[in-house]
Structures are given as C-alpha cells and as structure tokens.
Amino acid sequence: MTDIDRQLEVLTRGCVEALPEGALAEQLKAAAKEGRSLSVKAGFDPTAPDIHLGHTVLLHQLARFQQLGHQVILLIGDFTARIGDPTGRSETRPQLTNEKIQENTRTYTEQVFKVLDPQRTRVVFNADWLAKMGLAELIALCARYNVAPMMTRDDFSKRYKEGQPIAIHEFLYPLMQGYDSVELKPDVELGGTDQKFNLLVGRDLMKAYGQTPQSVMTMPLLEGTDGVRKMSKSFGNYIGVSEPPEEIFGKVMSISDELMRRYIELLTDWDLATVDGGHPMELKKKLAATIVERYHGAVAAEQAAAAFEARFSRGEVPEDLEEVTVTGDGADIWLPQLLADAGLVPSNSEGRRRIQSGAVQVDGEKVSDAQARIPAGGPYVVRAGKRAMKRVTVRSGG
C-alpha cells in the first residue's frame, strides 16, 4: 500500500461522499510532490453554548487529517450565526443576539481542543471579513450565483410549495458560507451530509473568483441515543461533551449494540476488524470510558466506570438517587402512570412497553404486569431500564 493509499484509507473512514470523485487522491499526490500539507476547513456556527458528540464527528475527521500532517482551518461562524442556517428548516430560524453568539463562541473554542491539536489548528472567525463587507461587495457576490439552484434545495422547495415563508436573508447563508472558502482558499472542506449544498456553493464561488475550487467531503449525521433521529438537544437524545462524566458514561451504555459500532467508527480510530469480533458489553464499556477520558480525563473515566458498575451491574442504589412524589388516583396508582409522572419514561405507552419487556423493577422486584398498581406509600426504588431509576413516593389522590 502506497502512502497516498494509506492516507485515503484513514481519511475516508466513515465518509459518505468525497467530491469530485478522485479529487482528494490527486490533492494528496500534488501536496506530497510539492512538499506541503493540505489545508482543510470546517465551519461551526455557535448557535448553542456547548457541543455534543454529533458535532464531534467532523472534529474527529479533522483530527485524522492532522495526524497525517495536514493543517486544519476551524471556522467559527460568528457572523453566519446571525443569519441562521436554513438547512433542514421548515420555518425561518430565529436570529441570535451578538451577545449570545459571543458567549457560545467562548465555550466552543474551549471544547474543540479536546479533540484537535492546537498546533495544527488555525481558528478564524468569519465576522472578520463578512462584517466588513459593504453593500456593493455583497451585491457583487450575489451576482455570481443563480437563484435556480437555491430553489431546488429540499428545504426551500418544500417550504415554497407549502406556502411557508422564506426570508431573503436565508438565501444569503449559503453564499456567506461559500464566500468563507473564497477568503480562506482551503484545499478541502468538510461538512455533514445536510451541508452538501452549501459546500458545493463554496466550490462554485471559488471558481467564479478565479480560484482552484476546494474538494468537499460529507460525513454522516450521528444518531442520538434513541438510535433513530440525529443527535439533537431538541430531541433529548444528545450526549453533551461538557456533561458530568457519569452522565456521559451512562448515556453511551444506553445505546444499542448496532449503534455502538457506528459510534466507534465515527468517534474513534479503533481497528474495526477487531471491533466486529468483540463482546458488545465490554466494547461499549471501553467506548464509554474512552469518550469520558477524552473530555474529562482518565481519573474521571475510571470513576464513572466504577459508578456505573455499582449502580447497574451490581444493582446498588446510589445514596444521592433523585427523589420524586407522584399522586395516585385514590389509594394507589397505575404503574405506567407512575413511571410517566415520575419522569422515568416519556409516556404511559412507553411505560407499558418497558414493563412488558421486563425492564421495570420496584424495590428490586421485576414487574411484568402492565396493569399493576402500586399502593400509596414508599419511597419505592423504581427502575425503568438500565439508567432510569428514582426513589418514588406515592401520595393518595382524591
């Protein structure tokens, strides 16, 4: 295997598309011949105060470039965050205040270097050039791109057909992101699969400005702990990198065995051949410890693993277990209702499903009858799965 082939194997791990086809290989060959590294750009809009594991898919891909000697351009979209990326939106995104953006930016830059090498990372802010762009320059930029491709985007097309508002400033977002590439002249730009249109706008604008266009690589959107929807705070299925170590460890342990392999592929550099033959539970524990160590250190990872073993593997009840009170509909309460009212499950139907699957225990005794009723009193130690556990007091109802 040649050095270029080896680099391609590493750099395309988990990648969905590398466009144009064959471009990355040619760029690597040219860089090697000229004795230089590639410049690789990825942008992050600071629309929230912290990042979750879904965001780090791109960071890990950038880190792979760094490990092979290439240079990363980490773009913080402190200006484009004011516009709001319309990608995947069914309505116009609310615009953030400058104060909120600056606050979020500080936490982003602290968190990304848990993954990236600061020595091979150039951090830039697109307000440095976009905020200075005058009206004449903005009009000139707009003149270099057509409206037709914008309207072929799924999000814009769907909203237009449904009569949903599309604000003019939303058309500017892909142009602004594309102009970032004109300003920075990267060899490669990375983004999620949902960013493909915006990445290709960058290629088109670089051509329009007489530059060598970047190649683009798209990475998959990481599913959240539910294994269905992409990781998002709004779905409640996220694992935040700044969450407490025990919380991160427990959330990783809650994912399915099938999803675990995807997390390993996208968030680690482990040999996938050895992973496929490993014991799922042990691999998941190793993955959870690896992620906690990356963001909180080795000691925190050891402590989180020990706490998990104590709570869930050996069935111990933590002293600081959350206590809640629920109200019955008389002298007792229907168990699915108790689970939902105590916040252990999102709904009565989910409570029934967990009971029927054997995941619910009351004071250490498994309950498999979905019609079971729990008498007023307690507190009871109630479990509704591997991680969901609380002390629940049942109060008599009227």
Side-chain angles (χ1 to χ4, degrees):
M1 180 183 291
T2 67
D3 179 65
I4 299 301
D5 289 336
R6 182 180 64 85
Q7 289 198 56
L8 283 172
E9 183 178 22
V10 172
L11 296 176
T12 56
R13 173 169 171 148
C15 178
V16 177
E17 287 186 288
L19 301 170
E21 186 175 350
L24 180 60
E26 294 304 317
Q27 288 174 311
L28 290 169
K29 290 175 185 177
K33 184 177 181 180
E34 297 165 14
R36 64 179 178 84
S37 60
L38 294 180
S39 62
V40 187
K41 168 198 169 194
F44 295 84
D45 281 358
T47 54
D50 50 14
I51 61 176
H52 54 60
L53 292 187
H55 298 125
T56 69
V57 171
L58 285 186
L59 296 179
H60 283 284
Q61 200 70 0
L62 292 173
R64 293 183 180 118
F65 274 95
Q66 291 183 327
Q67 291 158 10
L68 293 171
H70 302 293
Q71 189 72 23
V72 162
I73 303 173
L74 183 73
L75 183 138
I76 305 296
D78 56 339
F79 188 89
T80 43
R82 303 178 198 176
I83 301 174
D85 186 0
T87 301
R89 301 288 293 186
S90 59
E91 58 185 16
T92 301
R93 183 188 297 273
Q95 291 181 267
L96 299 178
T97 65
N98 188 54
E99 291 74 16
K100 185 62 176 175
I101 291 171
Q102 295 306 314
E103 178 186 338
N104 293 346
T105 296
R106 284 192 293 272
T107 60
Y108 265 48
T109 51
E110 290 170 2
Q111 294 165 17
V112 296
F113 290 120
K114 300 286 187 178
V115 179
L116 297 180
D117 176 1
Q119 301 303 314
R120 287 192 171 276
T121 306
R122 176 188 170 198
V123 180
V124 295
F125 302 86
N126 62 12
D128 288 349
W129 52 86
L130 294 179
K132 299 173 184 176
M133 183 179 284
L135 182 58
E137 293 173 287
L138 178 60
I139 292 173
L141 170 61
C142 293
R144 294 175 189 267
Y145 202 80
N146 294 321
V147 171
M150 294 282 191
M151 293 308 300
T152 64
R153 288 180 49 153
D154 288 342
D155 38 26
F156 286 155
S157 176
K158 184 177 180 181
R159 286 161 62 183
Y160 181 75
K161 290 176 182 176
E162 294 177 352
Q164 297 296 320
I166 303 173
I168 293 294
H169 77 277
E170 294 182 86
F171 285 110
L172 295 179
Y173 187 93
L175 292 180
M176 297 292 100
Q177 182 174 329
Y179 188 79
D180 290 340
S181 291
V182 173
E183 182 73 24
L184 297 168
K185 304 177 181 63
D187 296 303
V188 185
E189 182 171 13
L190 305 185
T193 51
D194 60 340
Q195 290 292 307
K196 180 179 176 180
F197 180 88
N198 294 347
L199 302 179
L200 294 175
V201 170
R203 275 183 56 82
D204 292 340
L205 288 179
M206 291 176 80
K207 290 179 189 176
Y209 279 87
Q211 300 176 1
T212 301
Q214 64 189 13
S215 66
V216 304
M217 294 179 67
T218 59
M219 297 297 294
L221 304 179
L222 187 68
E223 294 87 352
T225 53
D226 59 3
V228 179
R229 295 173 294 189
K230 73 173 184 177
M231 188 173 289
S232 170
K233 277 196 169 184
S234 62
F235 296 147
N237 64 354
Y238 71 102
I239 304 176
V241 304
S242 61
E243 289 188 87
E246 290 185 23
E247 189 73 10
I248 294 175
F249 196 100
K251 285 185 175 182
V252 174
M253 292 301 298
S254 74
I255 65 176
S256 67
D257 293 346
E258 294 76 15
L259 187 59
M260 173 186 64
R261 191 190 186 283
R262 187 163 170 83
Y263 276 44
I264 290 173
E265 179 183 21
L266 297 175
L267 304 178
T268 78
D269 292 320
W270 300 357
D271 184 347
L272 296 178
T274 61
V275 166
D276 290 337
H279 188 281
M281 178 59 72
E282 294 308 312
L283 283 171
K284 203 176 295 184
K285 289 179 182 178
K286 181 182 176 184
L287 174 63
T290 298
I291 292 173
V292 173
E293 181 174 351
R294 180 176 296 134
Y295 299 109
H296 292 281
V299 173
E302 292 178 7
Q303 293 174 342
F308 180 85
E309 290 291 339
R311 291 191 184 195
F312 303 105
S313 296
R314 295 197 293 272
E316 295 179 12
V317 178
E319 294 182 2
D320 60 347
L321 188 62
E322 183 182 352
E323 299 185 15
V324 298
T325 298
V326 300
T327 302
D329 50 2
D332 56 18
I333 187 170
W334 183 40
L335 182 53
Q337 184 70 52
L338 180 153
L339 298 175
D341 290 354
L344 290 165
V345 297
S347 65
N348 292 353
S349 59
E350 177 63 14
R352 286 196 301 270
R353 189 191 69 78
R354 294 204 193 181
I355 293 168
Q356 291 165 348
S357 68
V360 174
Q361 295 180 13
V362 178
D363 284 344
E365 296 294 327
K366 184 180 293 187
V367 182
S368 56
D369 180 5
Q371 298 305 316
R373 301 188 71 85
I374 305 301
Y380 303 97
V381 175
V382 183
R383 293 176 183 266
K386 291 182 178 179
R387 297 182 57 252
M389 178 168 57
K390 294 182 181 180
R391 280 193 179 90
V392 183
T393 297
V394 179
R395 182 172 53 198
S396 295

